Amino acid sequence: MFRLPTEYDVVVVGSGHAGIEAALAAARIGCRTLMLTQNLDTIGQMSCNPAIGGLAKGHIVREIDAMGGVMGANADSTGIQFRMLNRTKGPSVRAPRVQCDKKAYQFRMKAILERTDDLDIKQANVSRILVDNGIAVGVETDFGLAIAARSVVITSGTFLRGLLHVGESSKPGGRMADSNSTLSANLQQLGFKVGRFKTGTPCRLNARSIDFSRCQIQAGEEPPPTFAFQPEEIATCLDDEIFTLNFFPNGRFHVEQMPCWITHTTSQTHEIIRANLNRSPLYAGRIKGTGPRYCPSIEDKVVKFSDRASHQIFLEPEGRHTSEYYVNGVSTSLPYEIQLEFLRSIPALEHAEIMRPGYAVEYDYFPPTQLLPTLETRLIGGLYFAGQVNGTSGYEEAAAQGLVAGANAALKVQGRSRFILERQEAYIGVLIDDLVTKGTEEPYRMFTSRAEHRLFLRHDNADQRLTNRAFGVGLVNQARWASFQEKMGLLNQARLTAIETKVRGIPIAQLLKRPDFSVMDLPHEIVSSAPPSVWELVETDFKYEGYAARQSEQNRQLERRGRQIIPDGLDYNKIAGLRSETRQKLSALRPTSLGQAARISGITPADIAIISIWLMKNNLHN
């Protein structure tokens, strides 16, 4: 065995979205960091949908950005369509989403990593964690290279004993055209409990074979909403990088947006799929892993929603310079010929040509109840897990865990206090608390309903919640901190103006609480005292502070009701407003109290509130 002469503070295993944020966080804090990846050419690859953000996920990306992470800025730099979801709803559930140029996102991220101080990148397949007296001291590769480290972060995605399925065919791999990882066996030998999950991806089509005239167009928004709190950094941090597609000339965000398209399945589509379920590895019993409930395959949709005449499908471009289109909504592992047959039964896809088939992948994960809130393992000191290895799904959830794990790995090496986000201060706090206390029985996905403090946890105030904390541990640089302080000065002055200044004899703060009044109704001389974005924050804060206060009181009441007894034999089907998932889990597990119910994986604070109110209304509380 050859030992690498360089010793590292932090070694990150994996170069997906979790690995990227972990490595960059450790390096920003000042630790000598090494990222190891099986393939340097697939760093930051978007294995599934080339999009960042969405409901709740967009909140996470803005929190990552508020703490100095790169996912949001990289999505802004390489985005080809920008939208704000739920724009007509309350501000707490609005969320940005960006469709990215798949290759531009990947290669620009690689350039960022290569130019980061205190960070090295090497191609290697890690096969063993080196442990001494219960402490991780390095890693060993399959070629017999030993690398010393004071802490190790595992971010191996779907590669741990990954197995790919297309119809009756299966082969090892973490994703199509990439080999799997053997590290899982070593982790089991070290004493970790292991589980098995499954995920999947749709096929990709050649744009020239799609009849877009038969589709409904879905254009991006103008002006495009960004993730980055300092979007002007996009034009300067990698201004010689050809993969930076979007810029800020003259202070305005310039994007050449591409449309997405909408079509739908038909009854014929469903008939073809039903007739071939026996050839699906999922329904034939060849796939043992549990799949994501909230991102089902098209086979699952047809079977479980048999009353639906059709399902919506989004045709999304994979980049500005490619003909590949991602078929969002038809994740499948059916045989190639069946995929082609059912696709050609869909309007606009009658002549579709598959460039890459859809497939399913099974992989090992390690139940996250084996972790501390820092994402350090309870079993081995200095060893951290982040991303799909913890049972989550999604780029955003993975990146969030990577940032926290990488930061804590670096802080531990430096002998400093750990970095933990609480449920009431960040969606990332909700995510990690759910994982380490409840675990997960299926690939975990973030939803706004999981956060009992969601009225506070808006995407637009993530920097107000987190930048100060991140600066304190070294995740945010001095330039970003100075810009944030300047913004907070303007925001505090605008709030003071709203409280002290009257219009038509009424304080502005009171006027802004009215649903029919906005900052646009204020005199120009008042609005011009701060940027429009600052006044928008002030308006939101005042307009919804009553709702937020009410939610806080409800949360306090729920905490007090944790001991409330649930009657034996309660029929959850009688309780209106509960999700089907909630009814299934509570009926199966039969918790005896609301506190016990709240600790069940997948049960949200909103579920507990609904049950509590129903019990009181029916005089079943005590």
PDB file of all heavy atoms in Angstrom, residues 18 57 157-158 197-199 292 363 365-366 368 386-401 431-432 434-435 440 442-446:
ATOM      1  N   ALA A  18     -23.964  16.992  -2.694  1.00  0.00           N
ATOM      2  CA  ALA A  18     -23.561  16.977  -1.288  1.00  0.00           C
ATOM      3  C   ALA A  18     -22.052  17.123  -1.161  1.00  0.00           C
ATOM      4  O   ALA A  18     -21.551  17.901  -0.338  1.00  0.00           O
ATOM      5  CB  ALA A  18     -24.028  15.675  -0.619  1.00  0.00           C
ATOM      6  N   LYS A  57     -37.814  23.062  -1.762  1.00  0.00           N
ATOM      7  CA  LYS A  57     -36.440  22.890  -2.207  1.00  0.00           C
ATOM      8  C   LYS A  57     -35.803  24.250  -2.539  1.00  0.00           C
ATOM      9  O   LYS A  57     -34.617  24.475  -2.284  1.00  0.00           O
ATOM     10  CB  LYS A  57     -36.395  21.982  -3.434  1.00  0.00           C
ATOM     11  CG  LYS A  57     -36.787  20.539  -3.143  1.00  0.00           C
ATOM     12  CD  LYS A  57     -36.949  19.762  -4.439  1.00  0.00           C
ATOM     13  CE  LYS A  57     -37.266  18.304  -4.191  1.00  0.00           C
ATOM     14  NZ  LYS A  57     -36.078  17.527  -3.825  1.00  0.00           N
ATOM     15  N   GLY A 157     -23.980   9.225  -2.776  1.00  0.00           N
ATOM     16  CA  GLY A 157     -25.180   9.228  -3.608  1.00  0.00           C
ATOM     17  C   GLY A 157     -25.813   7.865  -3.769  1.00  0.00           C
ATOM     18  O   GLY A 157     -25.991   7.116  -2.805  1.00  0.00           O
ATOM     19  N   THR A 158     -26.138   7.503  -5.022  1.00  0.00           N
ATOM     20  CA  THR A 158     -26.790   6.220  -5.309  1.00  0.00           C
ATOM     21  C   THR A 158     -25.781   5.154  -5.726  1.00  0.00           C
ATOM     22  O   THR A 158     -26.152   4.131  -6.312  1.00  0.00           O
ATOM     23  CB  THR A 158     -27.829   6.394  -6.433  1.00  0.00           C
ATOM     24  OG1 THR A 158     -27.153   6.851  -7.619  1.00  0.00           O
ATOM     25  CG2 THR A 158     -28.900   7.379  -6.049  1.00  0.00           C
ATOM     26  N   PHE A 197     -32.893   1.487  -0.885  1.00  0.00           N
ATOM     27  CA  PHE A 197     -33.872   2.368  -1.505  1.00  0.00           C
ATOM     28  C   PHE A 197     -33.776   2.247  -3.024  1.00  0.00           C
ATOM     29  O   PHE A 197     -32.824   1.681  -3.572  1.00  0.00           O
ATOM     30  CB  PHE A 197     -33.653   3.825  -1.084  1.00  0.00           C
ATOM     31  CG  PHE A 197     -34.297   4.196   0.224  1.00  0.00           C
ATOM     32  CD1 PHE A 197     -33.966   5.393   0.863  1.00  0.00           C
ATOM     33  CD2 PHE A 197     -35.230   3.382   0.839  1.00  0.00           C
ATOM     34  CE1 PHE A 197     -34.549   5.757   2.061  1.00  0.00           C
ATOM     35  CE2 PHE A 197     -35.827   3.727   2.038  1.00  0.00           C
ATOM     36  CZ  PHE A 197     -35.482   4.922   2.649  1.00  0.00           C
ATOM     37  N   LYS A 198     -34.774   2.826  -3.677  1.00  0.00           N
ATOM     38  CA  LYS A 198     -34.830   2.814  -5.132  1.00  0.00           C
ATOM     39  C   LYS A 198     -35.248   4.187  -5.640  1.00  0.00           C
ATOM     40  O   LYS A 198     -36.053   4.884  -5.003  1.00  0.00           O
ATOM     41  CB  LYS A 198     -35.835   1.754  -5.591  1.00  0.00           C
ATOM     42  CG  LYS A 198     -36.276   1.841  -7.063  1.00  0.00           C
ATOM     43  CD  LYS A 198     -37.652   2.491  -7.195  1.00  0.00           C
ATOM     44  CE  LYS A 198     -38.043   2.648  -8.672  1.00  0.00           C
ATOM     45  NZ  LYS A 198     -39.297   3.416  -8.840  1.00  0.00           N
ATOM     46  N   THR A 199     -34.697   4.589  -6.754  1.00  0.00           N
ATOM     47  CA  THR A 199     -35.166   5.798  -7.425  1.00  0.00           C
ATOM     48  C   THR A 199     -35.124   5.537  -8.918  1.00  0.00           C
ATOM     49  O   THR A 199     -34.738   4.451  -9.360  1.00  0.00           O
ATOM     50  CB  THR A 199     -34.327   7.032  -7.039  1.00  0.00           C
ATOM     51  OG1 THR A 199     -34.958   8.210  -7.553  1.00  0.00           O
ATOM     52  CG2 THR A 199     -32.896   6.945  -7.573  1.00  0.00           C
ATOM     53  N   PRO A 292     -39.424   6.486  -3.910  1.00  0.00           N
ATOM     54  CA  PRO A 292     -39.945   7.758  -3.403  1.00  0.00           C
ATOM     55  C   PRO A 292     -41.442   7.882  -3.625  1.00  0.00           C
ATOM     56  O   PRO A 292     -41.926   7.775  -4.748  1.00  0.00           O
ATOM     57  CB  PRO A 292     -39.171   8.803  -4.220  1.00  0.00           C
ATOM     58  CG  PRO A 292     -38.803   8.100  -5.476  1.00  0.00           C
ATOM     59  CD  PRO A 292     -38.609   6.661  -5.129  1.00  0.00           C
ATOM     60  N   TYR A 363     -30.049   1.152  -4.446  1.00  0.00           N
ATOM     61  CA  TYR A 363     -28.782   1.501  -3.806  1.00  0.00           C
ATOM     62  C   TYR A 363     -28.913   1.352  -2.290  1.00  0.00           C
ATOM     63  O   TYR A 363     -30.016   1.366  -1.730  1.00  0.00           O
ATOM     64  CB  TYR A 363     -28.387   2.933  -4.157  1.00  0.00           C
ATOM     65  CG  TYR A 363     -29.432   3.973  -3.787  1.00  0.00           C
ATOM     66  CD1 TYR A 363     -29.375   4.655  -2.573  1.00  0.00           C
ATOM     67  CD2 TYR A 363     -30.488   4.249  -4.643  1.00  0.00           C
ATOM     68  CE1 TYR A 363     -30.342   5.594  -2.222  1.00  0.00           C
ATOM     69  CE2 TYR A 363     -31.462   5.184  -4.309  1.00  0.00           C
ATOM     70  CZ  TYR A 363     -31.380   5.844  -3.102  1.00  0.00           C
ATOM     71  OH  TYR A 363     -32.338   6.767  -2.748  1.00  0.00           O
ATOM     72  N   TYR A 365     -28.457   2.653   1.561  1.00  0.00           N
ATOM     73  CA  TYR A 365     -28.389   3.862   2.374  1.00  0.00           C
ATOM     74  C   TYR A 365     -28.230   3.432   3.822  1.00  0.00           C
ATOM     75  O   TYR A 365     -28.457   2.263   4.170  1.00  0.00           O
ATOM     76  CB  TYR A 365     -29.637   4.738   2.198  1.00  0.00           C
ATOM     77  CG  TYR A 365     -30.817   4.297   3.020  1.00  0.00           C
ATOM     78  CD1 TYR A 365     -31.145   4.950   4.215  1.00  0.00           C
ATOM     79  CD2 TYR A 365     -31.611   3.222   2.634  1.00  0.00           C
ATOM     80  CE1 TYR A 365     -32.229   4.537   4.979  1.00  0.00           C
ATOM     81  CE2 TYR A 365     -32.686   2.804   3.389  1.00  0.00           C
ATOM     82  CZ  TYR A 365     -32.994   3.463   4.556  1.00  0.00           C
ATOM     83  OH  TYR A 365     -34.057   3.055   5.321  1.00  0.00           O
ATOM     84  N   PHE A 366     -27.828   4.352   4.663  1.00  0.00           N
ATOM     85  CA  PHE A 366     -27.591   4.031   6.063  1.00  0.00           C
ATOM     86  C   PHE A 366     -28.559   4.851   6.911  1.00  0.00           C
ATOM     87  O   PHE A 366     -28.506   6.093   6.899  1.00  0.00           O
ATOM     88  CB  PHE A 366     -26.134   4.300   6.429  1.00  0.00           C
ATOM     89  CG  PHE A 366     -25.199   3.350   5.740  1.00  0.00           C
ATOM     90  CD1 PHE A 366     -24.742   3.609   4.456  1.00  0.00           C
ATOM     91  CD2 PHE A 366     -24.845   2.160   6.339  1.00  0.00           C
ATOM     92  CE1 PHE A 366     -23.931   2.710   3.793  1.00  0.00           C
ATOM     93  CE2 PHE A 366     -24.033   1.252   5.688  1.00  0.00           C
ATOM     94  CZ  PHE A 366     -23.569   1.524   4.406  1.00  0.00           C
ATOM     95  N   PRO A 368     -30.417   7.261   8.969  1.00  0.00           N
ATOM     96  CA  PRO A 368     -29.769   8.441   9.548  1.00  0.00           C
ATOM     97  C   PRO A 368     -29.925   8.596  11.057  1.00  0.00           C
ATOM     98  O   PRO A 368     -29.333   9.507  11.639  1.00  0.00           O
ATOM     99  CB  PRO A 368     -30.427   9.607   8.802  1.00  0.00           C
ATOM    100  CG  PRO A 368     -31.751   9.072   8.365  1.00  0.00           C
ATOM    101  CD  PRO A 368     -31.523   7.622   8.077  1.00  0.00           C
ATOM    102  N   ALA A 386     -23.534  12.433   4.349  1.00  0.00           N
ATOM    103  CA  ALA A 386     -24.390  13.497   3.810  1.00  0.00           C
ATOM    104  C   ALA A 386     -24.969  13.082   2.469  1.00  0.00           C
ATOM    105  O   ALA A 386     -24.276  12.469   1.644  1.00  0.00           O
ATOM    106  CB  ALA A 386     -23.601  14.796   3.666  1.00  0.00           C
ATOM    107  N   GLY A 387     -26.236  13.422   2.239  1.00  0.00           N
ATOM    108  CA  GLY A 387     -26.874  13.180   0.952  1.00  0.00           C
ATOM    109  C   GLY A 387     -27.690  11.904   0.919  1.00  0.00           C
ATOM    110  O   GLY A 387     -28.227  11.455   1.930  1.00  0.00           O
ATOM    111  N   GLN A 388     -27.753  11.273  -0.248  1.00  0.00           N
ATOM    112  CA  GLN A 388     -28.610  10.099  -0.412  1.00  0.00           C
ATOM    113  C   GLN A 388     -28.153   8.915   0.421  1.00  0.00           C
ATOM    114  O   GLN A 388     -28.931   8.003   0.679  1.00  0.00           O
ATOM    115  CB  GLN A 388     -28.695   9.723  -1.895  1.00  0.00           C
ATOM    116  CG  GLN A 388     -29.640  10.652  -2.658  1.00  0.00           C
ATOM    117  CD  GLN A 388     -29.667  10.374  -4.139  1.00  0.00           C
ATOM    118  OE1 GLN A 388     -28.712  10.659  -4.846  1.00  0.00           O
ATOM    119  NE2 GLN A 388     -30.765   9.829  -4.623  1.00  0.00           N
ATOM    120  N   VAL A 389     -26.912   8.925   0.869  1.00  0.00           N
ATOM    121  CA  VAL A 389     -26.446   7.892   1.794  1.00  0.00           C
ATOM    122  C   VAL A 389     -27.260   7.922   3.086  1.00  0.00           C
ATOM    123  O   VAL A 389     -27.374   6.920   3.795  1.00  0.00           O
ATOM    124  CB  VAL A 389     -24.935   8.062   2.083  1.00  0.00           C
ATOM    125  CG1 VAL A 389     -24.671   9.327   2.879  1.00  0.00           C
ATOM    126  CG2 VAL A 389     -24.362   6.848   2.798  1.00  0.00           C
ATOM    127  N   ASN A 390     -27.885   9.067   3.379  1.00  0.00           N
ATOM    128  CA  ASN A 390     -28.738   9.228   4.563  1.00  0.00           C
ATOM    129  C   ASN A 390     -30.214   8.967   4.267  1.00  0.00           C
ATOM    130  O   ASN A 390     -31.060   9.189   5.130  1.00  0.00           O
ATOM    131  CB  ASN A 390     -28.588  10.633   5.153  1.00  0.00           C
ATOM    132  CG  ASN A 390     -27.246  10.826   5.816  1.00  0.00           C
ATOM    133  OD1 ASN A 390     -26.595   9.870   6.211  1.00  0.00           O
ATOM    134  ND2 ASN A 390     -26.824  12.079   5.944  1.00  0.00           N
ATOM    135  N   GLY A 391     -30.526   8.565   3.048  1.00  0.00           N
ATOM    136  CA  GLY A 391     -31.910   8.227   2.730  1.00  0.00           C
ATOM    137  C   GLY A 391     -32.735   9.367   2.175  1.00  0.00           C
ATOM    138  O   GLY A 391     -33.961   9.266   2.131  1.00  0.00           O
ATOM    139  N   THR A 392     -32.097  10.451   1.743  1.00  0.00           N
ATOM    140  CA  THR A 392     -32.855  11.565   1.171  1.00  0.00           C
ATOM    141  C   THR A 392     -32.903  11.451  -0.348  1.00  0.00           C
ATOM    142  O   THR A 392     -32.176  10.670  -0.958  1.00  0.00           O
ATOM    143  CB  THR A 392     -32.226  12.919   1.548  1.00  0.00           C
ATOM    144  OG1 THR A 392     -30.868  12.964   1.071  1.00  0.00           O
ATOM    145  CG2 THR A 392     -32.236  13.111   3.044  1.00  0.00           C
ATOM    146  N   SER A 393     -33.767  12.246  -0.962  1.00  0.00           N
ATOM    147  CA  SER A 393     -33.819  12.351  -2.416  1.00  0.00           C
ATOM    148  C   SER A 393     -33.669  13.820  -2.771  1.00  0.00           C
ATOM    149  O   SER A 393     -34.014  14.695  -1.986  1.00  0.00           O
ATOM    150  CB  SER A 393     -35.139  11.801  -2.958  1.00  0.00           C
ATOM    151  OG  SER A 393     -36.216  12.639  -2.568  1.00  0.00           O
ATOM    152  N   GLY A 394     -33.154  14.103  -3.949  1.00  0.00           N
ATOM    153  CA  GLY A 394     -33.093  15.491  -4.399  1.00  0.00           C
ATOM    154  C   GLY A 394     -31.726  16.115  -4.256  1.00  0.00           C
ATOM    155  O   GLY A 394     -31.017  15.898  -3.277  1.00  0.00           O
ATOM    156  N   TYR A 395     -31.378  16.933  -5.270  1.00  0.00           N
ATOM    157  CA  TYR A 395     -30.106  17.653  -5.250  1.00  0.00           C
ATOM    158  C   TYR A 395     -30.025  18.604  -4.061  1.00  0.00           C
ATOM    159  O   TYR A 395     -28.974  18.747  -3.425  1.00  0.00           O
ATOM    160  CB  TYR A 395     -29.949  18.491  -6.527  1.00  0.00           C
ATOM    161  CG  TYR A 395     -30.130  17.769  -7.837  1.00  0.00           C
ATOM    162  CD1 TYR A 395     -30.718  18.421  -8.922  1.00  0.00           C
ATOM    163  CD2 TYR A 395     -29.694  16.454  -8.017  1.00  0.00           C
ATOM    164  CE1 TYR A 395     -30.874  17.795 -10.141  1.00  0.00           C
ATOM    165  CE2 TYR A 395     -29.856  15.816  -9.242  1.00  0.00           C
ATOM    166  CZ  TYR A 395     -30.445  16.495 -10.308  1.00  0.00           C
ATOM    167  OH  TYR A 395     -30.601  15.872 -11.515  1.00  0.00           O
ATOM    168  N   GLU A 396     -31.143  19.283  -3.800  1.00  0.00           N
ATOM    169  CA  GLU A 396     -31.139  20.360  -2.806  1.00  0.00           C
ATOM    170  C   GLU A 396     -30.943  19.820  -1.395  1.00  0.00           C
ATOM    171  O   GLU A 396     -30.154  20.359  -0.609  1.00  0.00           O
ATOM    172  CB  GLU A 396     -32.449  21.146  -2.902  1.00  0.00           C
ATOM    173  CG  GLU A 396     -32.707  21.765  -4.274  1.00  0.00           C
ATOM    174  CD  GLU A 396     -33.319  20.791  -5.294  1.00  0.00           C
ATOM    175  OE1 GLU A 396     -33.564  19.609  -4.939  1.00  0.00           O
ATOM    176  OE2 GLU A 396     -33.538  21.210  -6.438  1.00  0.00           O
ATOM    177  N   GLU A 397     -31.698  18.763  -1.057  1.00  0.00           N
ATOM    178  CA  GLU A 397     -31.545  18.138   0.259  1.00  0.00           C
ATOM    179  C   GLU A 397     -30.117  17.636   0.458  1.00  0.00           C
ATOM    180  O   GLU A 397     -29.547  17.746   1.549  1.00  0.00           O
ATOM    181  CB  GLU A 397     -32.532  16.972   0.418  1.00  0.00           C
ATOM    182  CG  GLU A 397     -33.989  17.401   0.537  1.00  0.00           C
ATOM    183  CD  GLU A 397     -34.704  17.501  -0.800  1.00  0.00           C
ATOM    184  OE1 GLU A 397     -34.012  17.602  -1.842  1.00  0.00           O
ATOM    185  OE2 GLU A 397     -35.944  17.488  -0.811  1.00  0.00           O
ATOM    186  N   ALA A 398     -29.527  17.075  -0.605  1.00  0.00           N
ATOM    187  CA  ALA A 398     -28.159  16.572  -0.524  1.00  0.00           C
ATOM    188  C   ALA A 398     -27.177  17.708  -0.290  1.00  0.00           C
ATOM    189  O   ALA A 398     -26.290  17.620   0.577  1.00  0.00           O
ATOM    190  CB  ALA A 398     -27.809  15.820  -1.809  1.00  0.00           C
ATOM    191  N   ALA A 399     -27.299  18.779  -1.060  1.00  0.00           N
ATOM    192  CA  ALA A 399     -26.374  19.909  -0.931  1.00  0.00           C
ATOM    193  C   ALA A 399     -26.435  20.518   0.469  1.00  0.00           C
ATOM    194  O   ALA A 399     -25.407  20.885   1.047  1.00  0.00           O
ATOM    195  CB  ALA A 399     -26.698  20.967  -1.986  1.00  0.00           C
ATOM    196  N   ALA A 400     -27.647  20.623   1.024  1.00  0.00           N
ATOM    197  CA  ALA A 400     -27.810  21.183   2.372  1.00  0.00           C
ATOM    198  C   ALA A 400     -27.063  20.341   3.407  1.00  0.00           C
ATOM    199  O   ALA A 400     -26.348  20.875   4.268  1.00  0.00           O
ATOM    200  CB  ALA A 400     -29.294  21.250   2.727  1.00  0.00           C
ATOM    201  N   GLN A 401     -27.227  19.025   3.317  1.00  0.00           N
ATOM    202  CA  GLN A 401     -26.519  18.146   4.246  1.00  0.00           C
ATOM    203  C   GLN A 401     -25.012  18.243   4.052  1.00  0.00           C
ATOM    204  O   GLN A 401     -24.239  18.216   5.016  1.00  0.00           O
ATOM    205  CB  GLN A 401     -26.952  16.697   4.035  1.00  0.00           C
ATOM    206  CG  GLN A 401     -28.394  16.408   4.375  1.00  0.00           C
ATOM    207  CD  GLN A 401     -28.777  15.028   3.888  1.00  0.00           C
ATOM    208  OE1 GLN A 401     -28.340  14.024   4.429  1.00  0.00           O
ATOM    209  NE2 GLN A 401     -29.588  14.977   2.853  1.00  0.00           N
ATOM    210  N   LEU A 431     -34.896  19.490   8.077  1.00  0.00           N
ATOM    211  CA  LEU A 431     -34.419  18.329   7.337  1.00  0.00           C
ATOM    212  C   LEU A 431     -33.545  17.428   8.205  1.00  0.00           C
ATOM    213  O   LEU A 431     -33.793  16.223   8.341  1.00  0.00           O
ATOM    214  CB  LEU A 431     -33.632  18.817   6.112  1.00  0.00           C
ATOM    215  CG  LEU A 431     -32.737  17.818   5.379  1.00  0.00           C
ATOM    216  CD1 LEU A 431     -33.572  16.752   4.688  1.00  0.00           C
ATOM    217  CD2 LEU A 431     -31.849  18.540   4.361  1.00  0.00           C
ATOM    218  N   ILE A 432     -32.527  18.015   8.819  1.00  0.00           N
ATOM    219  CA  ILE A 432     -31.574  17.212   9.585  1.00  0.00           C
ATOM    220  C   ILE A 432     -32.204  16.684  10.865  1.00  0.00           C
ATOM    221  O   ILE A 432     -31.982  15.528  11.246  1.00  0.00           O
ATOM    222  CB  ILE A 432     -30.299  18.039   9.860  1.00  0.00           C
ATOM    223  CG1 ILE A 432     -29.582  18.305   8.536  1.00  0.00           C
ATOM    224  CG2 ILE A 432     -29.386  17.318  10.845  1.00  0.00           C
ATOM    225  CD1 ILE A 432     -28.360  19.193   8.651  1.00  0.00           C
ATOM    226  N   ASP A 434     -35.374  15.942  11.336  1.00  0.00           N
ATOM    227  CA  ASP A 434     -36.239  14.835  10.934  1.00  0.00           C
ATOM    228  C   ASP A 434     -35.418  13.564  10.712  1.00  0.00           C
ATOM    229  O   ASP A 434     -35.800  12.477  11.149  1.00  0.00           O
ATOM    230  CB  ASP A 434     -36.990  15.176   9.645  1.00  0.00           C
ATOM    231  CG  ASP A 434     -38.231  16.020   9.881  1.00  0.00           C
ATOM    232  OD1 ASP A 434     -38.587  16.238  11.048  1.00  0.00           O
ATOM    233  OD2 ASP A 434     -38.844  16.459   8.887  1.00  0.00           O
ATOM    234  N   LEU A 435     -34.294  13.704  10.033  1.00  0.00           N
ATOM    235  CA  LEU A 435     -33.488  12.539   9.683  1.00  0.00           C
ATOM    236  C   LEU A 435     -32.899  11.867  10.915  1.00  0.00           C
ATOM    237  O   LEU A 435     -33.001  10.642  11.077  1.00  0.00           O
ATOM    238  CB  LEU A 435     -32.360  12.941   8.725  1.00  0.00           C
ATOM    239  CG  LEU A 435     -32.774  13.367   7.307  1.00  0.00           C
ATOM    240  CD1 LEU A 435     -31.557  13.858   6.539  1.00  0.00           C
ATOM    241  CD2 LEU A 435     -33.446  12.215   6.570  1.00  0.00           C
ATOM    242  N   THR A 440     -36.094   7.650   8.268  1.00  0.00           N
ATOM    243  CA  THR A 440     -36.996   7.726   7.121  1.00  0.00           C
ATOM    244  C   THR A 440     -37.198   6.335   6.543  1.00  0.00           C
ATOM    245  O   THR A 440     -36.253   5.551   6.435  1.00  0.00           O
ATOM    246  CB  THR A 440     -36.469   8.696   6.036  1.00  0.00           C
ATOM    247  OG1 THR A 440     -37.423   8.801   4.982  1.00  0.00           O
ATOM    248  CG2 THR A 440     -35.118   8.253   5.483  1.00  0.00           C
ATOM    249  N   GLU A 442     -38.656   5.860   3.567  1.00  0.00           N
ATOM    250  CA  GLU A 442     -38.681   6.028   2.118  1.00  0.00           C
ATOM    251  C   GLU A 442     -37.798   7.221   1.789  1.00  0.00           C
ATOM    252  O   GLU A 442     -37.468   8.011   2.678  1.00  0.00           O
ATOM    253  CB  GLU A 442     -40.107   6.284   1.640  1.00  0.00           C
ATOM    254  CG  GLU A 442     -40.706   7.531   2.243  1.00  0.00           C
ATOM    255  CD  GLU A 442     -42.215   7.617   2.067  1.00  0.00           C
ATOM    256  OE1 GLU A 442     -42.913   6.638   2.366  1.00  0.00           O
ATOM    257  OE2 GLU A 442     -42.683   8.683   1.627  1.00  0.00           O
ATOM    258  N   PRO A 443     -37.354   7.364   0.543  1.00  0.00           N
ATOM    259  CA  PRO A 443     -36.506   8.516   0.218  1.00  0.00           C
ATOM    260  C   PRO A 443     -37.146   9.831   0.671  1.00  0.00           C
ATOM    261  O   PRO A 443     -38.261  10.163   0.258  1.00  0.00           O
ATOM    262  CB  PRO A 443     -36.386   8.432  -1.308  1.00  0.00           C
ATOM    263  CG  PRO A 443     -36.495   6.963  -1.587  1.00  0.00           C
ATOM    264  CD  PRO A 443     -37.524   6.456  -0.609  1.00  0.00           C
ATOM    265  N   TYR A 444     -36.445  10.549   1.544  1.00  0.00           N
ATOM    266  CA  TYR A 444     -36.989  11.747   2.191  1.00  0.00           C
ATOM    267  C   TYR A 444     -36.939  12.932   1.228  1.00  0.00           C
ATOM    268  O   TYR A 444     -35.903  13.221   0.618  1.00  0.00           O
ATOM    269  CB  TYR A 444     -36.166  12.059   3.440  1.00  0.00           C
ATOM    270  CG  TYR A 444     -36.618  13.283   4.221  1.00  0.00           C
ATOM    271  CD1 TYR A 444     -37.337  13.147   5.397  1.00  0.00           C
ATOM    272  CD2 TYR A 444     -36.296  14.571   3.796  1.00  0.00           C
ATOM    273  CE1 TYR A 444     -37.736  14.256   6.128  1.00  0.00           C
ATOM    274  CE2 TYR A 444     -36.696  15.691   4.513  1.00  0.00           C
ATOM    275  CZ  TYR A 444     -37.415  15.527   5.679  1.00  0.00           C
ATOM    276  OH  TYR A 444     -37.805  16.638   6.396  1.00  0.00           O
ATOM    277  N   ARG A 445     -38.058  13.625   1.152  1.00  0.00           N
ATOM    278  CA  ARG A 445     -38.145  14.843   0.341  1.00  0.00           C
ATOM    279  C   ARG A 445     -38.711  15.954   1.206  1.00  0.00           C
ATOM    280  O   ARG A 445     -39.634  15.726   1.993  1.00  0.00           O
ATOM    281  CB  ARG A 445     -39.044  14.598  -0.874  1.00  0.00           C
ATOM    282  CG  ARG A 445     -39.214  15.820  -1.770  1.00  0.00           C
ATOM    283  CD  ARG A 445     -40.112  15.492  -2.953  1.00  0.00           C
ATOM    284  NE  ARG A 445     -40.304  16.642  -3.814  1.00  0.00           N
ATOM    285  CZ  ARG A 445     -41.021  16.631  -4.928  1.00  0.00           C
ATOM    286  NH1 ARG A 445     -41.609  15.504  -5.321  1.00  0.00           N
ATOM    287  NH2 ARG A 445     -41.156  17.718  -5.660  1.00  0.00           N
ATOM    288  N   MET A 446     -38.176  17.151   1.054  1.00  0.00           N
ATOM    289  CA  MET A 446     -38.638  18.280   1.856  1.00  0.00           C
ATOM    290  C   MET A 446     -39.934  18.859   1.292  1.00  0.00           C
ATOM    291  O   MET A 446     -40.090  19.012   0.071  1.00  0.00           O
ATOM    292  CB  MET A 446     -37.564  19.368   1.919  1.00  0.00           C
ATOM    293  CG  MET A 446     -37.982  20.600   2.708  1.00  0.00           C
ATOM    294  SD  MET A 446     -38.555  20.245   4.383  1.00  0.00           S
ATOM    295  CE  MET A 446     -37.026  19.749   5.161  1.00  0.00           C
TER     296      MET A 446
END
